[in-house]
Amino acid sequence: MINFSLTAFRMRYKLTAIFLCFGFSQALTAQTGEEKPKINNFTASVLFQTKGISTIPNLTLGKPAFTFDLKIGRRLSFEPQFRFAATGKPWAMVFWWRYNAVSTSKFRLDLTTNYSFSYKTIIVTTTGESQELIRTTRYLVGAAAPEYLFNKYFSVGAYIFYNRGIEKFITRNTLMLSIRPSISNIPITKNITARFNPEIYNLFMDDDNGVFFNARLSISKKNFPVSLSALINKPLKSNIPSDYDLLWNAGISYTFNNKYVEAK
């Protein structure tokens, strides 16, 4: 078990900031060397959701939460994600590396990996006094996401995800296999469209397993940074321990996109 005092917790965030700076620099330098100017993408978004949901049941927060996403790069991108409860307590930090291995007009394949931290507040009683501590658990992840695009409205993808828990007291091996159809550019008005992403996934967590249904609906306006979303998650057949049978939330997000040319 890893428990942190306030001083140790601040030190971990300092180390995380160093890692974050390193990731941004690597995402830039890994894509240099061509003669013509390179256009990089920088995206930042913040999402407020009424209930923090994870596709892995034991990582679900179940309370109002904020998620901050950053993305920098092109074919190889660094995508850190920071999740916090609305009260300010940390929920998770995920440091994604994403590589676009194949990208054509009909087929796309992304390969990803991450090193992540999950946080949980626990109460520890010693010598008759109770103390609130933040317990950190760590994970290593590898994933592949192939997708076939039929047209601008419909595509079908799959997701293969493996999560290795580092601490011995947590779930050590998590495997997720999913099918992800996507219906995009659903017209609502002239400038407002919707996107619907249903998903069926089989989740294996050590000796337990289950089949889940997940669905997300998002609504956005062209050239407008604010969008709305809703999500539900329902176990269809599962023996995985969970505090929730049906999860749903609503969210609002703000996204900033920019492009820049690398200096030589």
Side-chain angles (χ1 to χ4, degrees), residues 195 215-219 228-232 248-251:
R195 180 184 179 98
R216 179 186 297 272
L217 176 68
S218 57
I219 300 174
L228 303 175
S229 63
L231 183 146
I232 62 169
W248 68 273
N249 73 19

Side-chain angles (χ1 to χ4, degrees), residues 48-61:
F48 172 76
Q49 49 187 321
T50 56
K51 187 174 290 185
I53 296 177
S54 172
T55 52
I56 301 177
N58 63 340
L59 299 182
T60 289
L61 179 65

Side-chain angles (χ1 to χ4, degrees), residues 119-135:
Y119 302 100
K120 184 176 182 179
T121 301
I122 61 174
I123 304 297
V124 176
T125 302
T126 57
T127 64
E129 295 185 1
S130 296
Q131 182 181 10
E132 185 177 276
L133 298 176
I134 296 176
R135 185 180 71 185

Side-chain angles (χ1 to χ4, degrees), residues 103-114:
S103 182
T104 70
S105 60
K106 289 295 184 180
F107 182 75
R108 179 185 179 94
L109 173 62
D110 286 341
L111 303 176
T112 57
T113 185
N114 80 49

Side-chain angles (χ1 to χ4, degrees), residues 14-28 78 95:
K14 289 179 181 178
L15 293 175
T16 299
I18 295 172
F19 181 81
L20 179 62
C21 293
F22 173 78
F24 274 107
S25 64
Q26 290 299 306
L28 289 174
F78 179 56
F95 299 98

